[in-house]
Amino acid sequence: MRDTRRQIIWYQIDDTEAIARHLEKMAKKGWLLEAVDNLGYRYRRGEPGQVKYTVAFFPEASVFDPGLTEGQETYMDYCQAAGWELAAFYGPVQYFRSVQPDPAPIETDELVKLAAVRRTMRKTYVLSYALLLLLPAITLPLYWQEFCYNPMEFVSRNISLSTALLMAWIAVYGALMLLDYLFWVVRSRRAVVHGGACVKPHTRFRLGISGVMIAVCLAVLLGYFVDSGISGLRVMLLLYLAFYGGTIFLGRRILQSMKRRGIQRGKAKGLYVVFALVMGLAAGLSMPLLFGSLSDAGLIHQVREPVETYTKTRENVSWTVNIFHDNLPVTLEDLGWSVSPEDHCTYEAEISRSPLAVYSRYTQDALSLGSDLPRLHYQIFDARWPWLLEECWDRLIAEERERLDPWPMEMLNPAPWGAEAVYRPKDGNEYFLLYPGRIVTFRLSGDKEPEKLDAIALALKP
């Protein structure tokens, strides 16, 4: 039977009444608070009983202090005289307990209590969430640029959507937590000025959105694993999760070691900042190195294997290409061409799916240097909602117009195609078709026979 156990902290540090209730319930089960750190509570087994807990703040203290400061020891003596025993502390947050049925409260001046809470929260809670908001502030504009560049691919990939969703929710989560604290300060200040006590924080609201935060993180991880079309990337993701978990554990160990050695606050804080910067730099630099090492070892490669390989030679230079035989909705054979084994045709399909859309890219290409077959390439984009389809269509046409400038895009009569709109580069052989719920683009290199183009559009029509 274990004599100690750990528990994750779910409450924010200013939610003192909720924390006290939780610790008192644990005491009734025979678990007494022994220590608090960045990973949560640590309990030791004791006799089940009625134990009172309270949380007090000493803003002058820091998590980098090697132990209790002189001021904390004086404060602890004052609390002991009132019947309270120091159970644990973590930086400026102190946890007291008492076996007395009705001990005198430690904080009797609500104005002083509010000032201590605010000073503590500024250096812990507010700073943490402000730094958290920097992450979406940096990454969300990058994801917006990615969406603008290729919206059809972006909205059809679970990895892109999952990460963008995570960053967006981090922004919302951080803003909500800060706003909730700000409203608490305003309401508490108003109550204290009128002779009342600090108001109770919104415990259920905070726990609720924190639960949603955890669910979003798990959904993102699931999206990474589901959408990982390259063998070995799942291993790399697991290694990165292990790296970050190890960094947290190592940081905790370093902090504990500095406390045991009696390293003073300023030096300890400097060393910890250096550790954080080094680990952050290591995380950033290790990604390409890890990817390259796993690739060289043959652990990262496309999940699908080619049916054969073909070696091409030109001017004494040789290179090997992969040949696939994926299923295509329409092929050169369907359009009337005769394809022989000597053409070494590859049939490639790449399909990405997400809750928002399905984006399919198909290519048939004769890899033989002596083949006179055209190259057939087409894309199909199916969106769940009309507004998303319209947004992707508008961006697609705008991007093509910019790419082709100064050559114009011309609008064709959509009726013969059964479409809502049809565009193509003037005198070109690439076509863009808009159907209800679907966007189709196709290119038949070197051939403009209307019958073949009509056959492609008919085969790809929803």
Side-chain angles (χ1 to χ4, degrees):
M1 183 180 295
R2 293 182 305 166
D3 291 328
T4 61
R5 65 176 293 184
R6 281 198 161 273
Q7 198 174 52
I8 297 175
I9 300 175
W10 296 108
Y11 302 101
Q12 303 300 329
I13 58 174
D14 65 326
D15 202 350
T16 55
E17 291 188 16
I19 293 173
R21 286 195 302 269
H22 176 75
L23 296 177
E24 288 165 6
K25 289 180 181 178
M26 294 298 294
K28 289 180 181 179
K29 299 176 182 178
W31 292 105
L32 300 177
L33 182 66
E34 185 178 48
V36 180
D37 56 25
N38 61 329
L39 294 182
Y41 302 129
R42 189 176 76 237
Y43 302 92
R44 61 174 172 82
R45 186 180 296 277
E47 291 295 327
Q50 296 287 338
V51 179
K52 292 288 184 180
Y53 278 91
T54 189
V55 181
F57 299 94
F58 197 84
E60 289 78 11
S62 168
V63 295
F64 298 103
D65 289 328
L68 290 171
T69 64
E70 184 177 345
Q72 281 179 298
E73 289 180 345
T74 302
Y75 189 79
M76 182 180 66
D77 293 339
Y78 161 78
C79 294
Q80 278 185 331
W84 292 97
E85 171 197 7
L86 181 65
F89 68 96
Y90 187 59
V93 187
Q94 301 170 109
Y95 302 81
F96 291 91
R97 64 169 164 253
S98 175
V99 294
Q100 298 180 12
D102 191 21
I106 293 177
E107 297 285 359
T108 56
D109 189 327
E110 290 294 325
L111 189 60
V112 173
K113 175 182 177 180
L114 178 61
V117 172
R118 291 184 62 192
R119 289 176 61 195
T120 301
M121 294 292 277
R122 275 199 297 267
K123 63 192 294 188
T124 55
Y125 184 97
V126 175
L127 178 61
S128 298
Y129 281 104
L131 292 174
L132 181 66
L133 288 174
L134 286 177
L135 184 60
I138 294 172
T139 57
L140 283 177
L142 299 178
Y143 281 111
W144 176 251
Q145 290 180 359
E146 184 180 343
F147 169 77
C148 293
Y149 176 73
N150 193 339
M152 295 190 297
E153 181 174 358
F154 183 86
V155 300
S156 63
R157 295 181 67 239
N158 284 315
I159 287 181
S160 300
L161 286 179
S162 298
T163 310
L165 173 64
L166 176 61
M167 292 300 107
W169 177 246
I170 287 176
V172 173
Y173 173 72
L176 286 176
M177 295 298 278
L178 288 175
L179 286 173
D180 178 72
Y181 169 68
L182 177 62
F183 291 150
W184 179 85
V185 170
V186 172
R187 292 169 60 227
S188 294
R189 183 190 296 164
R190 187 183 300 123
V192 170
V193 167
H194 289 84
C198 295
V199 300
K200 296 180 179 180
H202 299 125
T203 304
R204 292 184 178 179
F205 170 76
R206 293 178 175 184
L207 291 177
I209 61 174
S210 296
V212 174
M213 184 72 206
I214 295 172
V216 171
C217 290
L218 292 175
V220 168
L221 287 176
L222 181 62
Y224 286 165
F225 279 89
V226 170
D227 205 34
S228 181
I230 300 179
S231 176
L233 283 185
R234 292 184 179 91
V235 175
M236 203 162 88
L237 288 172
L238 290 174
L239 288 175
Y240 255 78
L241 289 176
F243 175 83
Y244 283 113
T247 299
I248 295 173
F249 179 79
L250 182 59
R252 174 172 168 268
R253 288 293 187 184
I254 290 175
L255 192 58
Q256 290 175 342
S257 176
M258 290 190 295
K259 288 178 181 294
R260 286 195 301 268
R261 294 171 181 268
I263 298 176
Q264 295 304 306
R265 180 192 300 184
K267 186 177 180 181
K269 184 185 293 185
L271 291 173
Y272 198 83
V273 169
V274 170
F275 163 76
L277 292 174
V278 169
M279 297 306 289
L281 187 62
L285 295 178
S286 63
M287 175 67 83
L289 294 176
L290 180 61
F291 189 88
S293 299
L294 292 177
S295 298
D296 293 340
L299 297 178
I300 291 185
H301 54 83
Q302 290 290 337
V303 173
R304 60 178 187 151
E305 297 291 340
V307 295
E308 62 176 301
T309 59
Y310 172 59
T311 301
K312 306 171 73 169
T313 303
R314 175 183 289 170
E315 298 178 355
N316 297 324
V317 177
S318 299
W319 65 99
T320 301
V321 292
N322 294 327
I323 295 178
F324 299 90
H325 285 175
D326 299 334
N327 292 324
L328 273 60
V330 59
T331 63
L332 293 175
E333 292 90 331
D334 298 330
L335 301 176
W337 272 279
S338 177
V339 178
S340 67
E342 288 73 22
D343 292 311
H344 294 285
C345 259
T346 182
Y347 304 76
E348 301 181 21
E350 183 181 355
I351 302 174
S352 51
R353 304 174 186 273
S354 78
L356 298 183
V358 179
Y359 184 37
S360 308
R361 286 136 289 180
Y362 302 97
T363 301
Q364 182 179 358
D365 193 11
L367 301 180
S368 173
L369 295 176
S371 176
D372 58 358
L373 290 174
R375 183 176 188 270
L376 175 62
H377 177 72
Y378 51 94
Q379 304 176 93
I380 302 172
F381 177 76
D382 294 308
R384 310 294 188 197
W385 291 283
W387 63 266
L388 179 59
L389 187 78
E390 182 178 351
E391 178 70 20
C392 291
W393 172 257
D394 291 341
R395 290 187 178 276
L396 174 65
I397 298 303
E399 177 71 23
E400 289 301 317
R401 281 176 169 156
E402 182 178 350
R403 181 177 68 87
L404 294 169
D405 186 63
W407 294 277
M409 288 275 285
E410 60 179 353
M411 179 182 289
L412 305 179
N413 180 14
W417 308 77
E420 294 181 348
V422 177
Y423 285 86
R424 76 167 182 181
K426 188 174 179 60
D427 298 327
N429 57 359
E430 188 172 9
Y431 291 79
F432 303 84
L433 299 88
L434 174 64
Y435 295 101
R438 172 172 289 186
I439 294 173
V440 172
T441 73
F442 64 86
R443 177 198 295 269
L444 186 61
S445 302
D447 197 293
K448 298 183 182 179
E449 294 184 27
E451 298 80 7
K452 291 185 172 58
L453 301 178
D454 290 341
I456 297 172
L458 182 63
L460 303 181
K461 181 180 177 181

